Amino acid sequence: MWRSAGLAGDAQKAETKEEFVKVKRRDLERLTTEVMQLRDFLPKIVNGDILGTFQKLDAIESNLEKKEEEIEQLRMDCEHFRARLETAQADCMREKKEKLDLRQQLNEAKQQLLQQAEYCTEMGAAVCTLLWGVSSNEEAVKSILGGSKAVKFFTITAQTMESFVKSLSEDMKQQDLDSEENQFVLALAGIVTNVAALACGREFLVSSSRELLDTMMHLLGDMKPGLCNKFKVLMLMSLYNVSINMKGLKYISESPGFIPLLWWLLNDPDTEVCLHALRLLQSVLLEPEVLARSGAEVRDSLPLQRIIALSQSRHAELQALAKELLDDLKILDYEA
């Protein structure tokens, strides 16, 4: 018992000793002062940091809300543009379908137009071929010229001839004689030739259809040598027939480029073209009034060597006409 009580008292004394620390008064006062200072300043420092943190947090939350609003606006804009895109795609598809339909309609219209053009060409070729045969009758020609559509007919004839020549391809070597287009213009040229073979027809062409005469001379100069020879021959025959009329001869011979045109035609490889070019030249040389006016130009540019070569042609009619023309040219002081 006594020992136990003694041990308990010792433990209590030990604990009592551990509860006290020996500190100098001066240090204690300093510690107390520092604690007081911390007690005064620590809340201010901590509260300022927390306030700044909260302010930053508010700013971050505000920015976050703005970003969320911007994202929402972008999402709405995206939905809007997606809707516009879908509308535009639908419009595009509709327009493509409309264009496809229009292209199909255009192709159908082109096909119909082509069929109509072919029909008109076939009809024109048939009618004009028949009219070509009829125009060999003098009474028929007088009836044609007496109609109200005569001038219009020869105007359309000139336009058709010009359109035909323009349609010839650059590399075309020979014309399809059996084509409807070729038969059409040949028939038109044949009709003009037959009309010009009559005195009343020549007078009509010189007085009312000079556009046709100009067109024929122009086309004869445009077509390449060796191309559409029959068409050339018919036009040359028409001009020769017109030259029988004194007014017609003066009009043709005074046309710009007429003499160079004859020299151009004399170099054509086709004998028939050369033959009718010589006949037209002879018609000019045999008329004193025309010769007096055009003699200098003929004299200065006449392809005499070409005419001499034609006088030696194997084509009997061409040879004879060239020799005859050489005799006529002596009027211009040329020696054969």
Side-chain angles (χ1 to χ4, degrees), residues 131 140-158 188 191-192 195 200-201 203-205 207-212:
L131 189 58
V141 171
K142 290 180 179 179
S143 178
I144 292 172
L145 298 180
S148 61
K149 298 295 183 179
V151 174
K152 183 66 174 178
F153 172 78
F154 289 112
T155 299
I156 294 175
T157 296
L188 289 172
I191 294 169
V192 176
V195 170
C200 62
E203 185 65 28
F204 181 89
L205 293 175
S207 302
S208 304
S209 297
R210 291 187 175 185
E211 179 186 352
L212 175 59

Side-chain angles (χ1 to χ4, degrees), residues 259 263 285 290-302 332 334:
I259 298 301
W263 305 160
L285 295 178
V290 176
L291 182 60
R293 184 174 55 256
S294 305
E297 183 180 4
V298 174
R299 184 185 298 108
D300 294 340
S301 60
L302 181 70
L332 299 176
Y334 274 104

Side-chain angles (χ1 to χ4, degrees), residues 30-160:
R30 184 186 302 161
L31 179 61
T32 303
T33 301
E34 291 177 357
V35 169
M36 294 299 292
Q37 289 176 346
L38 285 174
R39 182 180 293 173
D40 292 337
F41 291 108
L42 185 60
K44 296 180 181 179
I45 296 172
V46 173
N47 290 339
D49 291 341
I50 293 174
L51 181 61
T53 302
F54 275 111
Q55 290 176 346
K56 291 180 180 180
L57 182 60
D58 289 339
I60 292 172
E61 289 178 348
S62 178
N63 289 334
L64 182 60
E65 290 177 357
K66 289 181 180 180
K67 293 297 181 182
E68 289 177 348
E69 290 176 357
E70 291 177 359
I71 292 173
E72 180 64 20
Q73 183 62 43
L74 289 174
R75 188 188 64 77
M76 293 175 63
D77 291 343
C78 182
E79 292 296 329
H80 173 68
F81 288 126
R82 182 180 290 109
R84 289 182 59 183
L85 175 61
E86 292 175 354
T87 301
Q89 288 176 334
D91 292 341
C92 182
M93 292 300 295
R94 185 177 65 257
E95 290 178 359
K96 283 183 178 180
K97 185 177 183 304
E98 291 176 355
K99 288 182 179 179
L100 183 62
D101 293 339
L102 289 174
R103 186 177 290 110
Q104 184 176 357
Q105 293 175 13
L106 180 60
N107 290 334
E108 292 175 356
K110 285 182 178 179
Q111 188 63 31
Q112 292 176 1
L113 184 61
L114 180 61
Q115 292 175 353
Q116 291 175 1
E118 291 176 351
Y119 171 78
C120 291
T121 301
E122 293 175 358
M123 177 63 73
V127 172
C128 288
T129 300
L130 293 174
L131 189 58
W132 185 4
V134 172
S135 64
S136 61
N137 181 280
E138 182 175 355
E139 294 301 320
V141 171
K142 290 180 179 179
S143 178
I144 292 172
L145 298 180
S148 61
K149 298 295 183 179
V151 174
K152 183 66 174 178
F153 172 78
F154 289 112
T155 299
I156 294 175
T157 296
Q159 295 170 351
T160 303

Side-chain angles (χ1 to χ4, degrees), residues 22-33:
K22 186 178 182 179
V23 180
K24 292 181 179 181
R25 182 181 295 274
R26 186 175 55 190
D27 293 336
L28 180 60
E29 291 175 353
R30 184 186 302 161
L31 179 61
T32 303
T33 301

Side-chain angles (χ1 to χ4, degrees), residues 305-315 318-320 322-323 326:
Q305 294 303 317
R306 176 58 178 169
I307 298 177
I308 293 175
L310 293 176
S311 69
Q312 300 169 357
S313 172
R314 295 181 180 180
H315 189 285
L318 178 60
Q319 181 188 109
K323 289 180 178 179
L326 288 174

